[in-house]
């Protein structure tokens, strides 16, 4: 694993009871890379992101974030989580807090940041996702797409080195998907390092430098978007593309 990697996995394995959900997963993500992970349902994609962020433990193998090895030390894990922003399928905003308060909560409590500084940073990131005008609103006053853009700003407020997106449009109505995808593309264009699980193949092709295909908990194939879509090497990827392109 190269020392310049922001994310480095080496032979990561994970089980849920008797079921192995990750099998010897190894790959790296370097600064400014945009990597998409795709594959059929149940292939371990979301579990992989949760392991990278330390939200779920893995049983064997190494995960390093900016050179820091995950371990059982809470201080180490807190340091890792501060470097990795994550946006989930559902927005997970606190309904009793305004947009601004949702975005300042983590910097104030985990970084011990003064409220005025946290608010300044939050407004900056809300502006980046075109939500600053809604800072005083509550989540129920926003559309699903707007709530997901707030969730993206909230993750950015910890100023992470890498952003993880777990099917960020799967909970949205079709007309709201495009606004969230455009926000993620703007982040990518700004140089943010991204690791994104998505079933939106056109978006995957436009966003990524590299696409990783997973099935049954293992990496089957990876390559550039051109290689992935035009020259699949494995029968499993070829079959997957055949099914998903028909939808």
């Amino acid at each position: 694993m190269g020392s310049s990697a922001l994310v480095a996995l080496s032979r990561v394995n994970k089980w849920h009871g008797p079921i192995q959900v990750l099998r010897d997963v190894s790959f790296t993500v370097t600064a400014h890379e945009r990597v998409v992970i795709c594959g059929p349902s149940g292939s371990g994609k979301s579990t992989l992101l949760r392991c990278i962020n330390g939200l779920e433990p893995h049983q064997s193998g190494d995960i390093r974030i900016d050179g820091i090895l995950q371990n059982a030390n809470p201080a180490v894990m807190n340091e890792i989580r501060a470097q990795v922003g994550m946006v989930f399928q559902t927005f997970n905003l606190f309904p009793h807090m305004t947009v601004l308060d949702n975005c300042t909560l983590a910097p104030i409590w985990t970084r011990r940041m003064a409220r005025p500084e946290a608010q300044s940073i939050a407004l900056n990131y809300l502006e980046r996702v075109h939500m600053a005008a809604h800072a005083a609103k509550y989540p129920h006053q926003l559309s699903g797409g707007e709530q997901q853009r707030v969730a993206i700003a909230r993750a950015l407020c910890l100023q992470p080195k890498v952003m993880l997106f777990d099917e960020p449009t799967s909970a949205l109505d079709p007309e709201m998907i495009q606004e969230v995808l455009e926000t993620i593309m703007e982040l990518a264009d700004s140089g943010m390092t991204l690791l994104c699980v998505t079933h939106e193949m056109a978006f995957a092709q436009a966003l990524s430098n590299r696409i990783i295909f997973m099935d049954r908990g293992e990496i089957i194939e990876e390559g550039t978007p051109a290689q992935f879509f035009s020259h699949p090497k494995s029968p499993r990827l070829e079959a997957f593309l055949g099914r998903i392109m028909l939808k």
Side-chain angles (χ1 to χ4, degrees):
M1 298 294 179
S3 59
S4 62
L6 281 181
V7 179
L9 283 75
S10 177
R11 304 197 67 178
V12 172
N13 292 278
K14 178 176 176 59
W15 285 263
H16 284 149
I19 301 171
Q20 187 170 5
V21 291
L22 296 177
R23 303 173 183 270
D24 282 334
V25 174
S26 299
F27 67 90
T28 63
V29 180
T30 56
H32 313 302
E33 258 199 303
R34 308 189 300 269
V35 178
V36 164
I37 302 174
C38 65
S41 297
S43 58
K45 308 181 300 294
S46 294
T47 298
L48 177 61
L49 290 193
R50 293 177 70 85
C51 287
I52 290 171
N53 201 35
L55 295 174
E56 290 193 27
H58 59 285
Q59 280 74 44
S60 67
D62 291 340
I63 298 178
R64 294 177 185 270
I65 305 299
D66 199 20
I68 303 172
L69 177 66
Q70 281 191 10
N71 58 44
N73 186 324
V76 170
M77 294 310 298
N78 286 338
E79 184 177 357
I80 285 174
R81 291 190 188 106
Q83 303 301 329
V84 183
M86 186 155 179
V87 177
F88 300 88
Q89 298 177 25
T90 52
F91 323 124
N92 295 333
L93 300 176
F94 290 109
H96 62 290
M97 291 185 172
T98 66
V99 164
L100 184 60
D101 287 341
N102 265 281
C103 290
T104 58
L105 184 66
I108 289 171
W109 284 96
T110 66
R111 293 277 180 89
R112 301 291 187 265
M113 194 177 290
R115 186 175 298 275
E117 182 183 2
Q119 289 179 336
S120 177
I121 290 171
L123 287 170
N124 174 58
Y125 285 115
L126 286 168
E127 183 68 40
R128 284 186 64 178
V129 301
H130 313 294
M131 289 299 296
H134 303 275
K137 291 183 179 179
Y138 289 86
H140 74 271
Q141 297 174 297
L142 306 175
S143 70
E146 288 171 338
Q147 288 187 60
Q148 190 63 299
R149 283 189 281 154
V150 171
I152 293 170
R154 178 182 59 184
L156 289 169
C157 283
L158 284 175
Q159 300 175 301
K161 293 184 178 179
V162 59
M163 285 284 288
L164 310 180
F165 293 90
D166 183 14
E167 296 278 16
T169 61
S170 65
L172 300 177
D173 293 332
E175 65 269 19
M176 299 176 184
I177 290 174
Q178 191 59 36
E179 65 184 66
V180 172
L181 297 183
E182 287 174 357
T183 298
I184 297 172
M185 286 296 299
E186 289 176 13
L187 284 179
D189 290 342
S190 74
M192 174 64 73
T193 306
L194 305 177
L195 187 55
C196 181
V197 168
T198 185
H199 61 277
E200 302 279 348
M201 289 295 99
F203 172 63
Q205 190 167 12
L207 174 72
S208 63
N209 305 123
R210 180 161 47 106
I211 302 179
I212 294 172
F213 173 64
M214 292 185 67
D215 192 14
R216 301 173 189 172
E218 62 182 340
I219 293 177
I220 304 300
E221 191 169 332
E222 62 180 295
T224 66
Q227 293 167 337
F228 183 87
F229 288 104
S230 301
H231 306 287
K233 298 175 184 177
S234 68
R236 285 156 79 177
L237 175 54
E238 193 169 3
F240 171 77
L241 291 173
R243 289 192 304 270
I244 203 156
M245 293 306 187
L246 291 175
K247 295 182 178 180

